[in-house]
Amino acid sequence: MWRELAAVGRDSGSGGYRRYAWTPADTDCRAWFRAQAEDRGLAYETDRNGNQWAWLGDSAAGDAVVTGSHLDSVPDGGAFDGPLGVVSAFAAVDELRARDVRPHRPLAVVNFGDEEGARFGLACVGSRLTAGRLAARDARELRDADGVTLAHAMERAGYDPDAIGADPERLARIGAFVELHVEQGRALDLDGHPVGVASAIWPHGRWRFDFRGQANHAGTTRLEDRHDPMLTYAETVLAARARARTSGALATFGKVAVEPNGVNAIASLVRGWLDSRAADEDTLAEVVAGIEQAAREHGARDGVSVEVVRESFTPVVEFAHDLRDRLAALIGADTPVPVLPTGAGHDAGILASAVPTAMLFVRNPTGVSHSPAEFAAEDDCAAGVTALADVLEGLACR
Ligand SMILES: [Zn+2]
């Protein structure tokens, strides 16, 4: 399966994957999924939102155990983020058959569309639509960098954009959803475990900080006379790092826009985007309030005005405790497995609001993700498949 997927959407220059929703690379990934389903004699279907399903057993029977992930990528993404969950799901079905166990609940492998949001700017579009967390009208109007709407892109890929929308009937068939994913951090590596169980997805949000000063000549304006928003911005970045460290949270200014953006001009405006995440919503609110306060204090000193706008916020996702504990028991009978939170969003985080949901993580020795350097060792991938098969057998066959 890895060999077949290896070349799809891979940029020969960067070595990274560019599998964006409703592009030819995405279509190739979808064709691969369908072929995997049909090769195994699984009943293949796409739902109204373009998510792909491969069923073992009666899809209409209800109480299904569903596993899978996504096949799309970020720009120059790695090979494992998403595909590891889909490949492992098919491999786990093979493993169940090799064990000669018979599911008494329907099983399905799923590929959720447009998880990364690389093309239209919103993550988890396929699962959001299905779970009723994104209105069909809003989704259809999403635009890519070339101004192409999601509706038009879907149509060109052979799907009907008028059909998209909440799909409660499909969700009602699912008794449990388990997403296996490469870990996007080093917790398992530091712990020395190949596989772990997710406890929660940290709450996270994005805030835009506008620092407004006064444009002026870099060669003639005395230091005392400047209103330089770059200084305030720099102090705010440092404050964010300090706040995150003392609170055990994460705070990142990863994107910045400067006006007029001239080498020999003091900036008039620096706009910086803060991404912050923490274990709980109170801590996150405290961290962001602290960063905002530092920005205002430095702004007052620098003669720079500061405006902060919250652009998005995703509350904490606690995975269903009984399902999480069941997974930990099923795969940790001999050696207890780590149960760990993550700061990254997933389709499982969207589904968790509608169906009992859990996640398995597979060790990533460097922790690097969303990069061609993302990696999981073959033995660890195999351990992930065994763990997933144990989970599916425990949930669906006993
Ligand atoms: Zn992913």
Side-chain angles (χ1 to χ4, degrees):
M1 284 188 269
W2 282 122
R3 254 196 309 279
E4 288 172 14
L5 276 173
V8 181
R10 188 162 189 254
D11 182 77
S12 55
S14 68
Y17 288 96
R18 298 177 182 176
R19 295 167 175 162
Y20 310 144
W22 311 117
T23 61
D26 190 40
T27 298
D28 289 349
C29 288
R30 289 170 172 275
W32 173 87
F33 183 98
R34 182 175 189 155
Q36 293 302 318
E38 290 173 351
D39 284 353
R40 288 173 173 78
L42 305 174
Y44 171 80
E45 60 174 346
T46 54
D47 65 24
R48 57 189 298 184
N49 297 311
N51 306 308
Q52 296 180 292
W53 302 77
W55 288 92
L56 176 64
D58 180 1
S59 64
D63 202 28
V65 178
V66 178
T67 184
S69 191
H70 61 95
L71 292 173
D72 69 323
S73 80
V74 296
D76 287 332
F80 298 88
D81 178 352
L84 184 63
V86 180
V87 166
S88 299
F90 282 120
V93 169
D94 296 342
E95 171 71 16
L96 291 185
R97 284 174 163 166
R99 292 179 189 178
D100 202 21
V101 289
R102 290 187 198 288
H104 54 76
R105 295 167 74 176
L107 278 178
V109 178
V110 65
N111 166 33
F112 282 111
D114 198 4
E115 193 275 345
E116 297 286 7
R119 182 170 178 192
F120 296 101
L122 180 68
C124 301
V125 168
S127 56
R128 269 182 215 274
L129 281 167
T130 299
R133 298 268 301 272
L134 170 63
R137 197 188 325 157
D138 295 343
R140 283 193 282 264
E141 289 306 310
L142 291 169
R143 278 173 199 276
D144 71 8
D146 297 324
V148 178
T149 62
L150 183 128
H152 190 57
M154 273 188 94
E155 209 163 13
R156 276 204 297 214
Y159 291 81
D160 176 11
D162 291 331
I164 66 173
D167 202 344
E169 287 157 22
R170 178 162 295 271
L171 290 176
R173 298 180 195 169
I174 305 174
F177 175 58
V178 180
E179 179 171 3
L180 179 147
H181 205 279
V182 68
E183 196 197 353
Q184 293 167 295
R186 290 188 58 216
L188 289 173
D189 187 55
L190 294 169
D191 255 14
H193 287 270
V195 178
V197 176
S199 57
I201 299 178
W202 281 13
H204 60 273
R206 293 175 179 188
W207 291 262
R208 196 186 79 222
F209 283 60
D210 288 352
F211 303 91
R212 281 176 206 280
Q214 187 180 52
N216 213 328
H217 197 297
T220 59
T221 315
R222 298 189 320 144
L223 294 179
E224 295 79 358
D225 295 339
R226 297 182 180 204
H227 301 280
D228 185 351
M230 192 66 83
L231 288 181
T232 322
Y233 172 65
E235 294 282 7
T236 305
V237 174
L238 296 174
R241 172 66 180 231
R243 284 276 168 179
R245 194 177 53 235
T246 51
S247 307
L250 297 167
T252 309
F253 278 96
K255 176 177 169 181
V256 63
V258 179
E259 291 176 17
N261 209 21
V263 166
N264 57 356
I266 297 160
S268 57
L269 170 72
V270 175
R271 184 167 273 165
W273 281 264
L274 170 70
D275 173 305
S276 191
R277 305 164 193 238
D280 60 81
E281 292 173 20
D282 287 347
T283 306
L284 180 56
E286 271 168 40
V287 167
V288 174
I291 297 168
E292 186 173 339
Q293 189 192 349
R296 292 191 192 289
E297 283 171 13
H298 287 288
R301 225 171 296 162
D302 301 333
V304 167
S305 74
V306 178
E307 192 191 345
V308 181
V309 179
R310 189 175 88 174
E311 291 194 334
S312 71
F313 183 77
T314 308
V316 67
V317 174
E318 280 277 342
F319 290 116
H321 288 188
D322 46 352
L323 185 60
R324 176 199 69 193
D325 295 346
R326 186 91 195 278
L327 259 63
L330 283 168
I331 66 174
D334 301 327
T335 324
V337 295
V339 178
L340 60 157
T342 176
H346 298 285
D347 291 312
I350 304 294
L351 269 273
S353 64
V355 298
T357 297
M359 289 190 78
L360 294 175
F361 291 126
V362 171
R363 172 162 54 191
N364 175 347
T366 60
V368 172
S369 183
H370 286 185
S371 147
E374 182 180 273
F375 184 68
E378 198 172 323
D379 284 354
D380 288 354
C381 293
V385 171
T386 303
L388 184 58
D390 290 348
V391 164
L392 297 181
E393 184 181 343
L395 294 178
C397 308
R398 277 187 224 147

